Amino acid sequence: MAKTAEFIFEGDRNGVLLIHGLTGTPTEMRLVGKGLNRAGFTVVGMQLAGHCGTEDDLLATTWEDWYASVEAAAEELRGRVDHLFVAGLSMGAVLALRLAARRPEWVDGVGVFGATFRYDGWSIPWTGKFSFLLPWFKRFGIGRKRSFIEQPPYGIRDERLRAQVSSAMFAGDSAAAGLPGNPWHALAEMYALAKDVRRSLAQVTAPCLIAHAVEDDVASVSNAQMVEAGVSGPVEMLLLGDSYHMITIDRERRTLIDRSADFFQRIVNGARPTRVAA
């Protein structure tokens, strides 16, 4: 049974919806949420459908279910704020982009953190090159009980933090640290989501802050460059040189928080960002 790990930090009438990644948990967005709340924003860290429970809980859901939970959370928050921003990590960034593409009238700006359309980072094993086959495996019922187990460095450059997170993850507390592996069929759903969002990137007209680790171990910088080239709205790029994939908790999280708060506040103030690089 999934635990509830969602959080709400009340602030002003400018809201930020934070979306965690595949097999992840709102906890991975909590530090960013606290930082944005200190800057004045009302922040909601939502929990995706099927997450923070068992593998079976996750496998009972589809990417459409994950997105539906995003849209429901956004609709609830937008009823309480004057400006709505959405930011996500990894697959959460892909879901944030889908919301901006499908509901442009809702979204005033997007934080695209470590966007993952392809698992092509330096720590992904050679077997990951065959992940494009996973949708076919799911279609024919192959490998329902199979998972890719997370490998060091688990997206975290900071060694002390890495030890804490990996210990919680393998202790079975999925609400605190997520699942220790990515089920094949859940990955198949993620790839179907990525394919859908790639096709609709041009429909994203809201300003985007695209933040990505230069040495991302899970998803290479080419994922960020795809978003930069594909969206129609203005873009700012923030490339982080001392972090791995989990940029919301790793060594440069304060830089990410400060840049995100500044980016969103400029939009609130009416200064629409221009298309620039970091």
Side-chain angles (χ1 to χ4, degrees):
M1 182 70 180
K3 299 179 184 178
T4 298
E6 293 183 346
F7 58 85
I8 300 175
F9 301 139
E10 295 292 347
D12 59 22
R13 290 195 57 83
N14 302 307
V16 185
L17 179 67
L18 298 178
I19 311 169
H20 63 82
L22 178 64
T23 73
T25 163
T27 304
E28 66 201 34
M29 308 303 289
R30 196 175 185 91
L31 292 174
V32 169
K34 286 184 174 179
L36 290 171
N37 181 245
R38 280 195 298 269
F41 295 92
T42 291
V43 180
V44 173
M46 65 156 298
Q47 183 169 310
L48 293 173
H51 286 70
C52 298
T54 65
E55 277 196 10
D56 285 339
D57 293 329
L58 179 60
L59 290 170
T61 58
T62 65
W63 73 261
E64 289 95 344
D65 296 323
W66 307 336
Y67 175 72
S69 60
V70 169
E71 194 163 292
E75 185 165 28
E76 195 282 328
L77 179 56
R78 71 185 285 264
R80 300 193 283 119
V81 298
D82 299 323
H83 294 90
L84 174 66
F85 302 99
V86 59
L89 173 67
S90 194
M91 185 186 76
V94 180
L95 287 164
L97 288 164
R98 190 172 202 268
L99 181 70
R102 291 182 60 88
R103 300 290 188 181
E105 72 280 8
W106 290 11
V107 178
D108 291 293
V110 188
V112 185
F113 304 157
T116 304
F117 289 84
R118 296 185 295 257
Y119 287 93
D120 58 355
W122 57 262
S123 76
I124 300 298
W126 65 269
T127 50
K129 294 177 181 177
F130 297 97
S131 56
F132 67 92
L133 295 171
L134 290 172
W136 289 97
F137 287 179
K138 182 173 185 187
R139 180 176 297 182
F140 293 108
I142 300 169
R144 178 177 168 80
K145 291 296 185 181
R146 299 292 297 274
S147 292
F148 288 116
I149 300 301
E150 292 275 351
Q151 300 293 323
Y154 309 114
I156 303 171
R157 191 169 192 135
D158 185 293
E159 293 179 5
R160 189 173 67 172
L161 181 62
R162 182 194 308 162
Q164 293 171 351
V165 170
S166 62
S167 176
M169 186 165 58
F170 287 100
D173 190 355
S174 64
L179 291 170
N182 285 310
W184 284 12
H185 286 194
L187 282 169
E189 291 293 325
M190 181 269 169
Y191 276 106
L193 167 68
K195 183 178 180 181
D196 174 89
V197 175
R198 274 201 308 270
R199 288 198 299 257
S200 59
L201 282 176
Q203 297 170 32
V204 178
T205 56
C208 294
L209 173 64
I210 304 172
H212 213 95
V214 175
E215 296 183 60
D216 194 312
D217 57 314
V218 173
S220 75
V221 175
S222 67
N223 288 269
Q225 293 165 340
M226 179 196 307
V227 177
E228 181 185 27
V231 298
S232 299
V235 166
E236 288 185 15
M237 284 284 280
L238 172 62
L239 297 179
L240 299 167
D242 195 26
S243 302
Y244 289 157
H245 183 63
M246 303 292 290
I247 58 176
T248 56
I249 62 174
D250 214 345
R251 290 176 178 169
E252 292 162 293
R253 61 181 181 271
R254 289 182 182 85
T255 299
L256 178 67
I257 291 166
D258 291 346
R259 281 290 297 272
S260 299
D262 175 71
F263 184 80
F264 296 151
Q265 191 60 53
R266 277 184 281 136
I267 296 171
V268 170
N269 295 342
R272 188 171 170 86
T274 54
R275 199 175 181 94
V276 297

